[in-house]
Amino acid sequence: MRSKKRIWITAALATSAVTGVLVFEGVTGNSSVDADAKSGPTKTDVHATALKVDGDGTSATLGKRDTKPFSMLGITWTDPAAKVTGAVEVRTRSAANGNWTSWLPLETDVDGRTETGRSGVRGSTEPRWVGPSNGVEVRINAGGKVSAKLPAGLRLDTVDPGRSGTLNAAPAAFAADIPAADATTDPSADPSDPAATEPPAPSDSTEPPAEVIPSDPASPSPSDPATAKPAPPVNPSPSASASASPTDTLPPAPPSTAPKPPITSRAGWGADESMSPEAPEYTDTVKAVFVHHTAGTNTYSCADSAAVVRSVYAYHIKSEGWKDIGYNFLVDKCGTIFEGRKGGVDRPVFGAHTYGFNRQTAGVAVIGTYTDSAAPSAVTTSVARIAAWKLGQYKGDPAGTTTLTAGATGGNNFGKAFTAGTKYTFNQISGHRDGFNTQCPGLKLYGQLPAIRSLAAGPVTGLAIKSVTGAGLSGTTYYTKSAVTVGWSASTPSAFISKYELLVDGKVVATTAGTATSAKATLAVGSHQVQVRATHQSGKVASSAAATVVADQTAPAFTTKPSLDLRTGTVNTTAVPLTLKWKATDAAALKEVRLTAPVAKTYGPTTTSASHTAKSGVATSWAMTAYDQAGNTAAASVSGTPVIVQESSATKTGTWTTKSSSSYLGGKSYSSSSKNASLSWTFTGRSVALVASRAATSGQVYVYVDGVKVSTVDLKSSTTKYRDALWTKSWSSSAKHTVKIVVVATSGRPAVTTDGIVYLK
């Protein structure tokens, strides 16, 4: 049984240039404030089945068969340094509907040496989530070359994540009290499976250990705790010394310059801590964050994410022989962040995620494959948040670079070689492929890393004013009486924004939370420059382009009051054609003029007249309101009564014949072909129109107003028309007038037919 409270220093801190790893048994940092206290450990089963390898060692299979329930699988082999150069494919049968999938590839660019130095570590493919299944088939081809032999000890590992329990989880601080499983034994192996009884990997492997760091020769190796000598207690704080008592704790975690995002704790996702009884290890800092993807499907339900994490946890421990899940954090496609390797999310936990560069780094794995598909914004947001928080604990810059010392000799996806013990420059947010020869985290997600760095580091991007409510927009200028609500948007998610400030002429007039999208302001009369300023969680600020907002409290004016004139067109007793005229102006910006009675119409700022009709003999009021862009208004109106005077009321000279038809006003009209025959009407009004019938044979009349000839009107028309107002005249005010028409007796078409006049009083 391990002692509950024991502190080992497993790597010598010989010089300031050598970074060690601290192993704390029985103590952890803050697992997560988001832990579900009611969650309990969930039993996770792993089953191993040996594959059949052909005679030349270049292919292997597992025939189609029924299995115990599982939701994740992978292929493992004895030597963690060995590679499968060809294709590894599986088919599975759905437990829900019994259907078999097509052949699914398993990613093989995994380095099993990430935790080399541990007895029993195995090489492996990436695990793949396939959902609840009860059947499987496997085929492996080394690439068709006789020289491309498959590694020894090939087996299929299937993982049943179980269902989340409801028992209270034991505190992570006491997980080390559980007896450790024999590191040389696979606790899930089936004794009848040939692969289950294969011997562990030789301890004198020719592969270098996973994180080789030069140290004092007299110091014990961090990979050999059995030979480590107890070191003096580590002080939990400057003012107190640690002792082997139940109250021992780690020193306080450093605060971060960025807020901590919500994190689902190990208890929250149902970690069975008895699977990983070894104490967590720590380094002294986090200088970089490596982004990974877990590979496999992207079509999982986010409700299954905890089960996926449990499965990865079991696969890393029981299938690959690691001490714990390798990643420090995992993120599902909905943006939920899960605590990975134990030891406290706020601590520099030594993980197993990037061979050669696990020291002084954290690994964040996105669940799914992002080779051909970009990660959703929820993913990039959460990855940026967790990276900013971890780096912020150690004064890191998510957009900056740092130097890391290679813990092993190797190379990356871009052909760059690394030599153990040599320092190399990395982005503080890097992809797995930057530190190792792998496609991880997928081409698309790797291409999103610059955007993730920008989100994490700031400043806020895409900040723009989108609206100014309470103001009218004319061109690029807003106009208001005084009070406005300014709305804005930003490309940067609100989770990264500390606050917004509304600026008027460079001065802060309102401050809001980073989740806000608008703020109110009251403006003095005059022109103002309005901006929005956003403060990123990093402290960097960004401002929007300025909007010009004019505060105007002066009402518009009708420089030409509304007036009415008769116009040409067909006359009915219910619809006499007339023209409404006006002119409105504003000192700042006229928006529109609205007619509110007797009908509702809206006219643009440059319109000054409109055609309407009105009932004969009915006094009608025409009410108008002018609006400027600020909302100030001015009202004006005019009244008028159209009056129809029929031909029978005229004073006539010469010969006129009465004609009857329902098409005429009142059913009758006068017609004459006699030269100089005349009709005259006397009225009191401000506008008049002559009404006549027209055809292709119609003649002409002279028009006299108050004894003066003013026009010769031709009644000829290619189409027959009745009750046609074809001549009008208007005055500025109402007065008594006489209108007289005289028949011209035009050659070949002398006839004139009239329906009288209309005047406006």
Side-chain angles (χ1 to χ4, degrees), residues 314-661:
Y315 187 81
H316 282 184
I317 296 171
K318 294 188 175 183
S319 299
E320 296 180 289
W322 296 4
K323 67 181 291 181
D324 194 352
I325 192 168
Y327 309 116
N328 298 98
F329 302 95
L330 297 94
V331 178
D332 73 7
K333 65 182 181 182
C334 294
T336 303
I337 302 172
F338 296 88
E339 177 183 9
R341 181 160 289 210
K342 70 182 175 185
V345 294
D346 55 350
R347 302 295 178 179
V349 177
F350 182 70
H353 49 83
T354 306
Y355 177 67
F357 295 100
N358 288 318
R359 200 174 304 274
Q360 298 184 328
T361 66
V364 179
V366 180
I367 299 173
T369 297
Y370 297 96
T371 299
D372 300 317
S373 301
S377 60
V379 167
T380 55
T381 295
S382 290
V383 171
R385 291 183 72 184
I386 194 67
W389 178 63
K390 286 307 296 180
L391 293 172
Q393 288 187 286
Y394 304 94
K395 313 305 179 186
D397 177 6
T401 60
T402 189
T403 58
L404 300 175
T405 301
T409 296
N412 70 8
N413 184 252
F414 306 102
K416 183 174 182 177
F418 302 120
T419 302
T422 303
K423 294 183 180 295
Y424 298 92
T425 300
F426 285 86
N427 288 310
Q428 289 192 259
I429 298 179
S430 287
H432 187 187
R433 62 175 59 186
D434 292 318
F436 180 69
N437 188 14
T438 175
Q439 294 297 310
C440 182
L443 181 63
K444 293 292 187 179
L445 180 53
Y446 187 79
Q448 292 175 284
L449 292 185
I452 290 173
R453 295 182 193 110
S454 177
L455 286 177
V460 174
T461 59
L463 182 60
I465 292 175
K466 306 301 290 184
S467 64
V468 181
T469 305
L473 178 63
S474 179
T476 58
T477 302
Y478 292 93
Y479 296 86
T480 181
K481 288 183 179 180
S482 178
V484 294
T485 299
V486 179
W488 60 80
S489 66
S491 302
T492 302
S494 61
F496 298 95
I497 303 172
S498 298
K499 65 178 180 179
Y500 285 109
E501 295 168 303
L502 183 62
L503 309 180
V504 175
D505 300 326
K507 296 181 179 179
V508 177
V509 299
T511 301
T512 73
T515 55
T517 57
S518 66
K520 298 180 183 296
T522 301
L523 305 180
V525 172
S527 180
H528 304 280
Q529 295 298 297
V530 176
Q531 289 175 283
V532 177
R533 185 166 65 197
T535 301
H536 190 271
Q537 64 182 23
S538 65
K540 297 176 183 177
V541 297
S543 298
S544 70
T548 300
V549 183
V550 175
D552 170 28
Q553 297 181 354
T554 302
F558 281 95
T559 53
T560 299
K561 300 295 183 182
S563 65
L564 292 169
D565 292 330
L566 293 171
R567 62 179 174 85
T568 59
T570 301
V571 176
N572 286 305
T573 55
T574 58
V576 176
L578 45 76
T579 299
L580 176 65
K581 297 180 179 179
W582 71 90
K583 185 175 182 181
T585 60
D586 186 71
L590 186 67
K591 179 182 180 182
E592 61 192 19
V593 177
R594 299 178 192 172
L595 174 63
T596 57
V599 294
K601 296 285 184 180
T602 300
Y603 305 102
T606 60
T607 302
T608 57
S609 66
S611 296
H612 290 279
T613 62
K615 289 183 178 180
S616 173
V618 177
T620 304
S621 177
W622 302 78
M624 307 193 80
T625 303
Y627 291 80
D628 65 16
Q629 292 287 358
N632 301 300
T633 63
S637 64
V638 62
S639 294
T641 305
V643 178
I644 296 176
V645 182
Q646 295 194 251
E647 71 287 341
S648 57
S649 300
T651 300
K652 61 182 178 180
T653 64
T655 302
W656 293 89
T657 302
T658 300
K659 301 180 70 173
S660 298
S661 172

Side-chain angles (χ1 to χ4, degrees), residues 105-451:
L106 300 185
E107 288 200 13
T108 59
D109 61 345
V110 183
D111 196 305
R113 299 172 297 173
T114 302
E115 286 211 325
T116 292
R118 295 177 53 79
S119 179
V121 172
R122 295 173 61 83
S124 71
T125 66
E126 290 282 13
R128 182 174 183 123
W129 177 263
V130 292
S133 305
N134 57 17
V136 69
E137 184 177 4
V138 181
R139 66 185 185 189
I140 302 177
N141 189 308
K145 299 178 181 178
V146 176
S147 60
K149 299 289 186 180
L150 293 174
L154 285 168
R155 77 184 191 202
L156 168 70
D157 286 65
T158 56
V159 184
D160 177 8
R163 294 188 177 183
S164 295
T166 57
L167 298 175
N168 289 331
F174 300 100
D177 292 339
I178 301 170
D182 185 348
T184 65
T185 304
D186 180 354
S188 66
D190 183 346
S192 64
D193 177 5
T197 58
E198 65 183 49
S203 60
D204 58 347
S205 170
T206 56
E207 288 297 323
E211 295 285 336
V212 177
I213 292 293
S215 62
D216 185 339
S219 301
S221 167
S223 63
D224 188 11
T227 62
K229 296 180 180 180
V234 176
N235 288 340
S237 67
S239 60
S241 297
S243 61
S245 69
T247 60
D248 287 342
T249 60
L250 290 173
S256 179
T257 56
K260 177 185 176 183
I263 303 170
T264 300
S265 69
R266 288 169 66 93
W269 54 259
D272 180 357
E273 298 295 0
S274 67
M275 287 171 52
S276 56
E278 295 182 55
E281 299 175 68
Y282 302 92
T283 61
D284 59 340
T285 185
V286 174
K287 298 172 66 175
V289 171
F290 281 102
V291 178
H292 305 253
H293 70 173
T294 63
T297 181
N298 292 350
T299 60
Y300 61 90
S301 167
C302 289
D304 290 332
S305 295
V308 175
V309 175
R310 288 197 302 274
S311 298
V312 174
Y313 174 56
Y315 187 81
H316 282 184
I317 296 171
K318 294 188 175 183
S319 299
E320 296 180 289
W322 296 4
K323 67 181 291 181
D324 194 352
I325 192 168
Y327 309 116
N328 298 98
F329 302 95
L330 297 94
V331 178
D332 73 7
K333 65 182 181 182
C334 294
T336 303
I337 302 172
F338 296 88
E339 177 183 9
R341 181 160 289 210
K342 70 182 175 185
V345 294
D346 55 350
R347 302 295 178 179
V349 177
F350 182 70
H353 49 83
T354 306
Y355 177 67
F357 295 100
N358 288 318
R359 200 174 304 274
Q360 298 184 328
T361 66
V364 179
V366 180
I367 299 173
T369 297
Y370 297 96
T371 299
D372 300 317
S373 301
S377 60
V379 167
T380 55
T381 295
S382 290
V383 171
R385 291 183 72 184
I386 194 67
W389 178 63
K390 286 307 296 180
L391 293 172
Q393 288 187 286
Y394 304 94
K395 313 305 179 186
D397 177 6
T401 60
T402 189
T403 58
L404 300 175
T405 301
T409 296
N412 70 8
N413 184 252
F414 306 102
K416 183 174 182 177
F418 302 120
T419 302
T422 303
K423 294 183 180 295
Y424 298 92
T425 300
F426 285 86
N427 288 310
Q428 289 192 259
I429 298 179
S430 287
H432 187 187
R433 62 175 59 186
D434 292 318
F436 180 69
N437 188 14
T438 175
Q439 294 297 310
C440 182
L443 181 63
K444 293 292 187 179
L445 180 53
Y446 187 79
Q448 292 175 284
L449 292 185

